[in-house]
Amino acid sequence: MTALEFQERIRKRQRVYGTLVTSPSPLFVNAAKNAGLDFVFIDTEHTVLDWETVAWMCIAYGSSGMVPMVRI
């Protein structure tokens, strides 16, 4: 799902499924993809993640078809 598709589904009040991610482990990318999630919410407020790691996480989740959202 792209960000535009995600926005359109929200506008149409369709359900989207996601989860909060606090770990940079690549194992979570596959687990989230296999669960059929539409988005992930990457929390940087309550975790210590540097910007390089967050960027990698956004690329990994985005490449797997999920929309990454980052809480700063």
Side-chain angles (χ1 to χ4, degrees), residues 10-59:
I10 295 294
R11 281 190 196 107
K12 291 181 177 180
R13 296 183 179 219
Q14 295 175 340
R15 289 186 182 167
V16 292
Y17 297 96
T19 191
L20 173 73
V21 177
T22 58
S23 171
S25 172
L27 297 175
F28 285 107
V29 177
N30 286 333
K33 180 180 178 181
N34 291 337
L37 298 179
D38 300 309
F39 72 95
V40 292
F41 179 74
I42 300 168
D43 185 18
T44 64
E45 182 181 15
H46 298 105
T47 59
V48 182
L49 296 172
D50 60 38
W51 288 110
E52 288 180 23
T53 302
V54 172
W56 174 87
M57 291 171 73
C58 288
I59 292 167

Side-chain angles (χ1 to χ4, degrees), residues 58-70:
C58 288
I59 292 167
Y61 284 104
S63 296
S64 294
M66 294 168 275
V67 175
M69 292 186 271
V70 179

